[in-house]
Amino acid sequence: MTMDAEPDEPEQPDEPEQPKQPEHSGHPDEPDEPEQPHDSAHRTLTPEERDRLRDLTAALQRIAMPKVDFQVPKIVDASVFAKMAADAARLRSFALPESTLQRLAALAAHQSRIVDAMKPMLDMQSAWMRQFAFINSDFFKTHAATQAQFAKLSADLTRTINFGLSDSVAKMANQFAAQQSAWIKTLAPTLERLRDSFYPPNLRGIEDLEFAEVEKVVLADSIALYGVPRQAVAQAILRAGGAAERREILGRRWKVISADCREAVDGLESQAVAPYVPFALAVLDALDLGHTTAAQALAGTLIDSLLTAYFGKDRYKYTPDKKGKRTTEAYDEFTVRQFVAFAPMWQTYQQFWVDDGDKVPTTFSRNATAHTVSRRQFNRRNTVQALLFATSLLCFFEEQASPQEGRLTRNRDGGQAGQL
């Protein structure tokens, strides 16, 4: 049967449709050895600790000198880490190594004390701006510098510099610089690993990625990004000008996305996802052969099966209700990775009732796919959208699978497994 085969030319733009916007309810003189965080080193922060983290990141961002365009040198660009931590702390299940949190708190307090002591002199010494220009350079815009660069920076920072100030203040500044260089060596790799733990591998290399960008794509536009597609395509989707442009990418680059999904599915090994792999491959085969209608229908059922297997009856906490009163507040319990994996569920399960005369949506809808037939719903772009969500779920479940039970599991206390 080939009636649903489609040509390779770019598809026509979708009819304009505004997606329903989701509602939210919501003094270490001697450095330690670099820590090696792993799963057991992380714990979920309590509400009080999340507030503490928000205060801490705000403090790190505020450490700047008034009246002169000068910032005290920092171990890393504080705004980068502060933004990352603040984004993650929005979600209730944000977790962080306790030692890292303690180090950051000590750093913020120590820098503040140094700033308070040095401020009167610094206000009168505009020449410092020139002498410290290299400290505020783009070198500090990344915490992925090599050990050789760190060693050179350490030597530069600890070199005697004539600040034109009293010996006591100059000594304080040199001591501060030496401590800063030690912090760079010990804490920067930890923060780099921590940053990597927030996002799936295909999103980690995207420069200046903000959580708000990811949230808009996965929650508002319902385009899954967990593990697939490859970084270049994911970045194009994230940086697109709007929903219409993102969907145009789904239609234009469907073969690349399909290849990425097939590679991901072929690499699945856990017993937890093994029962679903043949059906994911069937979706891919149908799409690649041009049978998009069949591929979309099977992908919708596969998504349904995966989410039901994981959440059970609780799945309905994360989907809109018929009266329109439910919000996305339940998504706040997720870790960052869980949010990226599950957020497409909100738009995918928007209410659609044929008996009520609801207009058939033009973006992928599980309910419309299951309960009506229409070219507004069944098309290649929606098939690719559904394929991405199904594959993303499989990638996430592969990572979180319980080797003891060999099936999709949640923690016994009701929270999701695999928290950061």
Side-chain angles (χ1 to χ4, degrees):
M1 177 176 180
T2 59
M3 63 180 297
D4 59 352
E6 299 183 15
D8 291 341
E9 298 88 41
E11 300 178 358
Q12 296 299 314
D14 299 320
E15 296 182 29
E17 179 171 297
Q18 296 295 327
K20 300 179 182 178
Q21 294 299 319
E23 302 174 37
H24 283 287
S25 62
H27 162 30
D29 296 327
E30 297 295 333
D32 298 329
E33 289 298 316
E35 54 188 82
Q36 300 295 329
H38 48 81
D39 291 342
S40 62
H42 291 70
R43 64 178 181 79
T44 302
L45 271 60
T46 65
E48 293 76 15
E49 289 170 329
R50 290 199 306 274
D51 290 339
R52 174 186 168 199
L53 179 62
R54 279 189 284 266
D55 292 341
L56 167 61
T57 54
L60 284 171
Q61 289 177 305
R62 287 196 301 267
I63 298 176
M65 294 307 306
K67 299 183 182 179
V68 292
D69 185 18
F70 170 79
Q71 284 192 336
V72 172
K74 303 177 177 67
I75 55 167
V76 292
D77 181 3
S79 63
V80 174
F81 176 75
K83 177 180 67 177
M84 173 184 67
D87 284 342
R90 292 173 49 194
L91 305 176
R92 294 175 186 163
S93 293
F94 177 62
L96 189 71
E98 178 64 24
S99 57
T100 299
L101 189 63
Q102 291 174 351
R103 285 186 176 189
L104 291 170
L107 174 65
H110 184 51
Q111 285 191 327
S112 295
R113 288 195 299 270
I114 294 292
V115 169
D116 290 341
M118 297 171 64
K119 185 172 64 174
M121 292 294 183
L122 287 175
D123 285 346
M124 297 182 294
Q125 298 293 325
S126 60
W128 275 38
M129 294 166 56
R130 295 189 297 273
Q131 296 192 48
F132 275 87
F134 76 99
I135 296 179
N136 288 322
S137 69
D138 286 340
F139 179 89
F140 285 90
K141 299 303 181 183
T142 176
H143 35 270
T146 65
Q147 289 299 317
Q149 290 172 307
F150 283 141
K152 182 179 183 302
L153 179 63
S154 178
D156 290 341
L157 287 173
T158 55
R159 184 182 302 134
T160 300
I161 300 175
N162 180 14
F163 296 110
L165 302 175
S166 67
D167 290 342
S168 61
V169 175
K171 181 179 180 181
M172 180 184 298
N174 282 329
Q175 180 186 20
F176 174 74
Q179 290 170 344
Q180 289 290 87
S181 63
W183 273 93
I184 292 173
K185 295 177 185 177
T186 59
L187 189 55
T190 297
L191 297 184
E192 183 68 15
R193 289 191 296 268
L194 182 64
R195 180 185 182 278
D196 285 350
S197 72
F198 285 168
Y199 292 118
N202 62 320
L203 302 185
R204 293 175 192 167
I206 299 178
E207 186 175 359
D208 297 327
L209 179 62
E210 296 189 11
F211 182 75
E213 296 178 272
V214 178
E215 181 181 32
K216 182 172 180 60
V217 172
V218 299
L219 184 64
D221 292 344
S222 191
I223 297 177
L225 294 174
Y226 197 97
V228 287
R230 67 189 65 181
Q231 180 180 312
V233 178
Q235 181 170 327
I237 292 172
L238 285 162
R239 300 287 157 78
E245 187 175 334
R246 280 187 273 274
R247 286 184 56 76
E248 189 273 334
I249 293 173
L250 297 184
R252 177 167 47 86
R253 307 200 66 178
W254 71 272
K255 289 183 178 180
V256 172
I257 295 173
S258 177
D260 290 344
C261 290
R262 187 178 292 277
E263 181 178 358
V265 172
D266 284 341
L268 298 174
E269 297 178 346
S270 74
Q271 291 300 309
V273 300
Y276 306 98
V277 169
F279 298 97
L281 292 173
V283 172
L284 286 159
D285 290 342
L287 172 61
D288 292 346
L289 290 172
H291 306 305
T292 56
T293 300
Q296 182 173 330
L298 181 54
T301 301
L302 178 58
I303 290 169
D304 227 22
S305 299
L306 287 166
L307 292 174
T308 300
Y310 188 77
F311 289 106
K313 294 181 179 180
D314 286 345
R315 191 191 77 186
Y316 297 101
K317 292 167 50 180
Y318 310 100
T319 59
D321 63 318
K322 189 171 185 179
K323 294 182 179 180
K325 294 183 177 181
R326 189 175 298 141
T327 70
T328 58
E329 180 181 6
Y331 285 76
D332 291 343
E333 74 181 57
F334 292 145
T335 64
V336 175
R337 286 196 177 199
Q338 289 171 330
F339 185 92
V340 176
F342 294 128
M345 180 168 33
W346 179 256
Q347 293 290 350
T348 294
Y349 284 88
Q350 286 292 329
Q351 292 288 307
F352 172 76
W353 296 87
V354 177
D355 293 345
D356 293 345
D358 291 348
K359 189 175 182 179
V360 177
T362 58
T363 59
F364 174 68
S365 163
R366 167 58 187 141
N367 293 328
T369 295
H371 300 297
T372 191
V373 287
S374 169
R375 284 298 177 187
R376 285 176 56 85
Q377 176 58 209
F378 285 91
N379 53 67
R380 183 186 290 141
R381 292 181 183 180
N382 286 351
T383 302
V384 173
Q385 188 179 356
L387 172 63
L388 275 174
F389 191 17
T391 307
S392 287
L393 290 173
L394 288 169
C395 289
F396 177 80
F397 294 150
E398 172 82 358
E399 291 180 1
Q400 308 303 319
S402 167
Q404 290 80 17
E405 299 182 43
R407 58 185 174 83
L408 305 185
T409 60
R410 305 180 78 196
N411 291 338
R412 287 189 177 88
D413 62 3
Q416 280 69 44
Q419 296 182 355
L420 292 178

